[in-house]
Amino acid sequence: MLFRSLADDDFLEPEALQKTIQKLEKTPGAVAAYAPWEQVDGLTGAYQGPALNMGPETTFRKEEAMLLFGRIAQNWIFPEIGIYRTEAAQRWMTPVQRQHWAFVWIFRMLKEGPVLLQPEPFYHFQTRNKHATSHLGVEQVIERLDHYRAGMEEGLRLALQLSPPARRPEYQKLGMELVTHFMAGRIWNAANVAMKTGRFRVALELSRRLQFYPSDMPEFPRQLVLMALVEELKEGMHLGGVQQLVVPEGADLNGLVEAMLRQGIRVQRGSLGPEKACLVRQNEERRRMVEEGAAPEQVRSEEHTSELQSPCNLVCRLLLEKK
């Protein structure tokens, strides 16, 4: 048997591991067994449940390659935790460059013999511990989307090779629909992670990609665009000549007031609606602050408003409605 890797702050459950090995040995010709990983809070010791939905325990054979591909895509499975027979692993576990290795290796292994998917974990992954409160996986969720897609496409290619030639055109079309489904979930998850970690501009960019993917994922809050603007302003960008920022009455300012005061800019609430914000600039330095991709006719500028009557001010209304 061969283990691929074990991170220094993760650990194995000996009894569950032994049961998995026994299953593998009892399945004629089986070359690999895959399982989810159990998430554990290393600070509190609390178990947070399996990270993946592997579905019911199933042994897949070569002729069932597309069924295996469908299970992975529909359940957003990352087949990263596995036990492998050494002979098969040594032939197929070669590095990949621009593809997520897990989606490639599982179908390489399937060429050698049956693979088992089980719902019971034997690998425990610490989401945080006393040495770190985050982990590399958080960054990979956001940064490696193209690797995930490339790995799924290569996995599909390998699955089609194991399928009957007469069915391959049909399976290829179905397979690409499954890839799209899988990527919609990964993009949504990446946007959600970005939003939870305060990277609102990244979350906004990712959420806009979802309009090209058929998905029933929950929508992101309409104020995400405003939150992205707040993040940008807090970093001191685009502030030349700005005197005042007007935000919706119910907006969560998320530390914006303090950040703007340090820049010498006043923050005022106004009845703008949740999808708008106003930047108040001096006339001689005025310019339209248009959300990227917004049509010019969507932007209105006014010399006088009920809130700001001074002729030396210009209110630039940013239409921040999520597209």
Side-chain angles (χ1 to χ4, degrees):
M1 298 295 179
L2 170 72
F3 294 97
R4 179 181 174 268
S5 62
L6 180 67
D8 59 1
D9 58 351
D10 299 336
F11 57 95
L12 298 171
E13 181 64 47
E15 291 185 7
L17 178 62
Q18 182 61 37
K19 289 180 180 179
T20 303
I21 293 174
Q22 291 172 352
K23 290 178 186 177
L24 190 61
E25 290 178 339
K26 290 179 180 179
T27 304
V31 295
Y34 292 90
W37 57 88
E38 179 92 28
Q39 298 183 113
V40 181
D41 187 326
L43 295 180
T44 66
Y47 283 77
Q48 301 170 324
L52 303 172
N53 174 20
M54 304 292 283
E57 183 172 308
T58 309
T59 299
F60 293 91
R61 291 169 172 77
K62 293 181 183 180
E63 59 270 21
E64 299 169 313
M66 283 302 297
L67 291 177
L68 174 58
F69 187 82
R71 173 80 68 87
I72 292 172
Q74 290 175 327
N75 289 20
W76 296 289
I77 294 172
F78 278 69
E80 297 177 343
I81 305 302
I83 305 172
Y84 313 93
R85 292 198 179 276
T86 304
E87 300 80 6
Q90 288 176 336
R91 281 193 292 272
W92 290 110
M93 285 190 174
T94 54
V96 292
Q97 300 301 315
R98 303 294 298 177
Q99 302 162 338
H100 189 62
W101 59 270
F103 305 129
V104 179
W105 285 9
I106 189 171
F107 288 98
R108 288 178 177 178
M109 297 301 294
L110 189 62
K111 282 187 174 183
E112 293 289 310
V115 300
L116 170 69
L117 264 60
Q118 68 173 36
E120 298 83 15
F122 58 79
Y123 186 103
H124 294 246
F125 173 81
Q126 293 193 40
T127 55
R128 60 176 184 165
N129 55 43
K130 63 182 180 179
H131 303 294
T133 57
S134 185
H135 52 84
L136 181 62
V138 171
E139 296 302 320
Q140 290 180 340
V141 163
I142 298 172
E143 302 295 337
R144 295 180 67 86
L145 287 172
D146 187 61
H147 284 70
Y148 297 156
R149 184 177 189 99
M152 287 292 287
E153 289 171 348
E154 176 63 9
L156 174 59
R157 188 186 71 84
L158 295 172
L160 290 172
Q161 287 182 350
L162 297 174
S163 302
R167 304 295 300 273
R168 288 176 188 173
E170 172 193 352
Y171 286 171
Q172 180 173 330
K173 180 180 178 181
L174 172 62
M176 290 308 299
E177 291 175 355
L178 289 168
V179 170
T180 298
H181 168 82
F182 181 88
M183 289 308 302
R186 297 317 306 169
I187 293 170
W188 185 93
N189 189 58
N192 192 45
V193 168
M195 195 166 72
K196 288 183 176 179
T197 54
R199 287 173 282 184
F200 301 118
R201 284 173 292 174
V202 174
L204 179 61
E205 291 177 5
L206 289 168
S207 67
R208 284 172 171 165
R209 292 183 60 182
L210 290 174
Q211 67 182 299
F212 301 108
Y213 289 83
S215 173
D216 56 359
M217 296 292 181
E219 291 188 3
F220 288 92
R222 295 186 67 192
Q223 288 195 3
L224 178 56
V225 180
L226 176 59
M227 294 159 73
L229 174 64
V230 167
E231 180 188 10
E232 189 170 346
L233 291 173
K234 285 170 66 176
E235 294 181 5
M237 298 179 178
H238 306 309
L239 295 181
V242 174
Q243 295 176 322
Q244 190 172 16
L245 173 69
V246 183
V247 297
E249 291 286 357
D252 181 1
L253 299 183
N254 194 29
L256 177 63
V257 174
E258 294 80 4
M260 292 296 97
L261 286 176
R262 287 195 294 271
Q263 298 283 343
I265 298 170
R266 292 183 296 116
V267 178
Q268 176 181 329
R269 293 186 182 273
S271 53
L272 302 174
E275 77 285 0
K276 298 180 182 179
C278 294
L279 286 176
V280 183
R281 291 178 172 272
Q282 298 172 357
N283 267 357
E284 59 270 21
E285 297 182 12
R286 70 192 185 189
R287 62 175 177 175
R288 288 187 303 180
M289 298 285 290
V290 185
E291 178 198 2
E292 182 180 354
E297 61 270 14
Q298 291 180 297
V299 181
R300 291 175 49 210
S301 297
E302 300 176 9
E303 290 289 341
H304 307 280
T305 70
S306 58
E307 301 160 335
L308 302 162
Q309 294 296 334
S310 171
C312 67
N313 289 328
L314 175 70
V315 177
C316 296
R317 292 195 173 178
L318 305 181
L319 291 194
L320 301 176
E321 186 170 349
K322 181 179 133 185
K323 302 220 179 341

